[in-house]
Amino acid sequence: MFTAPEQFADVNKSTIDAALKFAKVSFDAAERLVGLQLAVGRDALSEGAKNASLFAEVRDVQDMAALRGKVAETSTDKWTNYSKAMYEVAQQTQAQWSNLFEAQVTEMNKSVAVALDKVAKTAPAGTDVAIAAIKSSITAASAAFDSMTKAAKQVATMTDANVKAAATATNAAVKSAKK
């Protein structure tokens, strides 16, 4: 027998659990980002004070140019590392969200299939064609979702490679400009 109230309760519980998982991932990412920003702020303050002292001790133009190049290289390295760390947090969070979303879609598809099977057992004669059409639509939607997920993962992989290449190129450009 088809018991809708129990299934609705199960769906509601599942939806609340999923929302809590998404919220936890979001809060964890926010916590990591705030921690990263505080560390960078603390480091920037310390580095700025140190650099101010070094610049105050400069006696000629050549020392000033050398110090300026060293400070620029150090700053670029630190900001590149900060950008990488921010990107990694965003990438990890996106991957966790994607995994949660995929799990939700998979679970929803299973629930719909089970519900359709229960309906088919109690449905009047002749509805089997409609139920088969719905199941076929769900299968096609799942295949499309899988294709989009694979494409999104490929884009993420390419983006990751491009970000790493850009960071490497920036560091190399700063080091060659210093020379």
Side-chain angles (χ1 to χ4, degrees), residues 45-128:
L45 182 62
S46 171
E47 197 68 23
K50 182 179 111 185
N51 289 339
S53 295
L54 291 173
F55 276 109
E57 296 173 8
V58 169
R59 301 289 178 226
D60 61 24
V61 175
Q62 292 166 336
D63 288 344
M64 174 69 82
L67 181 58
R68 196 175 118 230
K70 180 182 175 190
V71 167
E73 182 180 352
T74 302
S75 295
T76 302
D77 285 344
K78 287 183 185 245
W79 284 108
T80 301
N81 290 336
Y82 172 68
S83 297
K84 282 182 191 177
M86 293 280 287
Y87 175 75
E88 286 173 8
V89 170
Q91 184 183 33
Q92 291 167 357
T93 303
Q94 186 275 333
Q96 289 174 318
W97 283 340
S98 292
N99 290 340
L100 286 172
F101 185 71
E102 286 177 39
Q104 278 300 110
V105 168
T106 300
E107 187 60 35
M108 183 185 71
N109 286 344
K110 287 179 186 176
S111 296
V112 169
V114 167
L116 283 173
D117 287 342
K118 286 181 180 181
V119 167
K121 290 177 184 175
T122 60
T127 58
D128 55 334

